[in-house]
Amino acid sequence: MTPDVITLSSSSGPTGGGNTLTLTSTGTNNQFVEGSVFVEFKWETGSPTACSTSYVTPTAVVVTSNATSAGVIAATNVRVVSPTKLAVVVPSDLILGSGNNNTTEAYNVCVYNTTNTGTANSLLAQTSGTGVNYNIGAVAPTVSTVYPTAGPSQGGNTVTITGTGFLASATTASIGGVPLTGITATTTSITGTAPAHSAGGPYAVTVQVTGGANASKKAAYTYSDGIVVSPNTAPNTKTTATEVSVTGSGFYGNTFSTTSGPTPDDANTHVFLVKGTYDPTKTTAGTKTNGQVTECLNVLVISNNELLCSLYLAGNGIPQASLHAVTGTTSGTTLTLTVGSFTQGDVGMAVTGAAGLGTGNYIASVIDSNRAILAKTPTAALTAATVLSVNPTRTFADATLTNGSNVITSAANANFTSADVGRAISGASIPGGTTITAVNSATSATLSANANGSASSTYTVSYAPTPVPVPNGQYVITVVNNGNIDAQPGGTKADTSYYQTAVNSGASFTVADF
């Protein structure tokens, strides 16, 4: 019969075998049949020659004159993949041999349909009519270290593997069975880009040297739900938003607070700027153990692996709420609603409607949609649900101004307090953009601009919050699928699907002047 030509999956491998080759035949003349295929590796003398047309009795490798001089090794583990493809475990007897000065030796790969040496023309296939060799080498690879040992599930970070026996131009590597890309290698080091992978691990890192030789380091690399942000720095003097790109995984299926002025402690998904590791565990004061410094607003999900959000570091970006009514009770400075809701836009707004609130009380911070912290402890607690007004302004109609003076005087109704410093004031003869710079008494305040005329009229004080910049420093951007206080496993508002992205170098964000 006329033998077919086979192609090897690798043209080289380690001494001592153990690696697996696939042999693919052209199938022009012959077919592989289970139970009737026998593979031999025959040592080559130098110039490649064809396989013997009949099966050859196996002989051990012989080394003479510091080099291999003979050897026909039969493979004992041969599997038929298809009529034109075999999987063969390279025999352990395929060795360079003791005393061999050569670093490689060449063998032909021959496939027969019988082990009977007397059967003529039993050769089914061979590497080629002129003998395309399979070369064995002296050293199998080893893996010593993997750095880093963890990375984000979206991949893209650089991984370095050190060891021995690598080939500079013929080495691949994988994490959990998924290949690294962009590999560069030396005989002792491999650098490549980590592939994307679902969070989990630690996974084995495997190095494959062309020829089938491989080595693995078990439990060497862990994928976390990490993210990478860009840009990763911005100043707190910028009054417009810094648009931040966040790459990660699993963004589809989340309900983000997509508009400005959200409640950061609600059950939606949020993108937070955090000092350290985010911890929503409820404290005795009813707040998060380590909550957000601010929130990245206006989330736009671009794909399952990328979103865009607006980060305001100068303290603005959340529009003030409009006048609205709520019903609630107080305990200390905490105002809890039974009717209505709060947003971050309520911060700085006046709260009126009950004498017990005292004069000039306002919302200092919002805990969640049902709770806010008042600037002052009410003079009398509201133990029964009381209808209140949350108002961005207050007015008084008994004030006078003198042309050229920066002092406004009220007969009785202005109710100025120190909290009014920095707030905008408007009305007759007051230039635009004027603010209160000092409170002299409950009926007198100093303005940032002189009156441009004398007047006695109605004046309005705005309760818009004074922007407070995020302090310079190192932060972490964290995606949290539930912003509730105590949403973590075991918490009072535990979310069974709770997750927050891992703290990693890619999520680091620096607020700094530049």
Side-chain angles (χ1 to χ4, degrees):
M1 67 179 71
T2 301
D4 289 323
V5 176
I6 56 175
T7 301
L8 303 177
S9 58
S10 299
S11 61
S12 62
T15 181
N19 54 300
T20 301
L21 292 176
T22 58
L23 285 56
T24 304
S25 167
T26 56
T28 305
N29 304 301
N30 307 298
Q31 302 283 295
F32 299 142
V33 178
E34 191 73 49
S36 298
V37 285
F38 305 93
V39 177
E40 288 188 320
F41 292 80
K42 296 181 179 181
W43 175 73
E44 274 285 355
T45 57
S47 299
T49 60
C51 293
S52 300
T53 58
S54 299
Y55 189 82
V56 178
T57 301
T59 59
V61 171
V62 177
V63 178
T64 58
S65 302
N66 300 319
T68 299
S69 61
V72 177
I73 308 300
T76 58
N77 191 346
V78 179
R79 306 278 290 273
V80 176
V81 179
S82 74
T84 59
K85 186 175 182 179
L86 301 177
V88 179
V89 177
V90 178
S92 60
D93 293 340
L94 206 65
I95 57 175
L96 288 175
S98 177
N100 195 339
N101 289 339
N102 293 339
T103 57
T104 62
E105 292 287 357
Y107 287 78
N108 275 344
V109 182
C110 314
V111 183
Y112 298 93
N113 63 7
T114 180
T115 58
N116 188 342
T117 58
T119 302
N121 299 319
S122 60
L123 181 65
L124 294 175
Q126 60 184 347
T127 45
S128 110
T130 58
V132 175
N133 299 327
Y134 174 72
N135 295 280
I136 62 170
V139 180
T142 64
V143 176
S144 301
T145 65
V146 177
Y147 181 82
T149 57
S153 58
Q154 75 270 21
N157 55 300
T158 299
V159 175
T160 300
I161 305 165
T162 60
T164 61
F166 305 156
L167 297 178
S169 59
T171 301
T172 59
S174 61
I175 301 174
V178 184
L180 275 71
T181 58
I183 283 179
T184 58
T186 67
T187 57
T188 59
S189 177
I190 300 169
T191 300
T193 301
H197 197 292
S198 58
Y203 296 101
V205 173
T206 301
V207 171
Q208 181 86 29
V209 175
T210 300
N214 67 76
S216 293
K217 186 174 180 65
K218 295 180 179 179
Y221 191 89
T222 299
Y223 281 99
S224 64
D225 280 321
I227 57 175
V228 176
V229 300
S230 178
N232 60 6
T233 185
N236 61 7
T237 54
K238 181 183 178 185
T239 57
T240 56
T242 296
E243 297 298 326
V244 178
S245 169
V246 180
T247 56
S249 61
F251 293 148
Y252 284 157
N254 285 278
T255 301
F256 286 90
S257 295
T258 55
T259 59
S260 57
T263 50
D265 296 336
D266 67 16
N268 289 325
T269 304
H270 299 268
V271 183
F272 291 142
L273 185 73
V274 185
K275 191 73 172 179
T277 301
Y278 177 79
D279 184 356
T281 304
K282 185 178 181 179
T283 66
T284 55
T287 59
K288 296 174 182 178
T289 297
N290 190 42
Q292 62 280 356
V293 175
T294 190
E295 181 167 9
C296 203
L297 306 173
N298 305 317
V299 176
L300 173 64
V301 177
I302 298 172
S303 70
N304 194 46
N305 299 314
E306 184 179 10
L307 61 81
L308 191 68
C309 61
S310 305
L311 190 59
Y312 291 90
L313 298 173
N316 51 353
I318 300 176
Q320 189 175 42
S322 58
L323 172 68
H324 61 105
V326 296
T327 301
T329 60
T330 63
S331 175
T333 58
T334 301
L335 171 58
T336 302
L337 300 186
T338 55
V339 178
S341 63
F342 293 122
T343 73
Q344 289 297 302
D346 288 321
V347 174
M349 300 253 289
V351 182
T352 59
L357 289 172
T359 301
N361 216 338
Y362 64 95
I363 296 174
S365 64
V366 170
I367 299 174
D368 55 32
S369 59
N370 295 318
R371 293 177 300 161
I373 302 298
L374 297 174
K376 299 188 293 184
T377 302
T379 56
L382 306 182
T383 56
T386 304
V387 177
L388 304 171
S389 177
V390 181
N391 199 322
T393 62
R394 78 173 189 274
T395 59
F396 48 95
D398 61 347
T400 58
L401 279 170
T402 301
N403 186 28
S405 171
N406 65 345
V407 175
I408 185 170
T409 302
S410 163
N413 298 325
N415 294 318
F416 291 121
T417 71
S418 59
D420 289 326
V421 174
R423 290 173 175 165
I425 185 169
S426 60
S429 299
I430 294 180
T434 298
T435 60
I436 297 172
T437 59
V439 172
N440 309 313
S441 68
T443 58
S444 174
T446 301
L447 309 183
S448 62
N450 294 334
N452 53 23
S454 296
S456 178
S457 184
T458 298
Y459 294 91
T460 300
V461 175
S462 172
Y463 281 78
T466 300
V468 178
V470 173
N472 286 345
Q474 194 71 36
Y475 297 87
V476 176
I477 288 183
T478 303
V479 179
V480 179
N481 76 324
N482 187 326
N484 277 165
I485 298 171
D486 236 21
Q488 78 285 351
T492 56
K493 291 188 177 181
D495 185 335
T496 56
S497 60
Y498 178 84
Y499 77 86
Q500 63 188 65
T501 52
V503 174
N504 63 305
S505 59
S508 177
F509 194 94
T510 302
V511 179
D513 297 328
F514 60 87

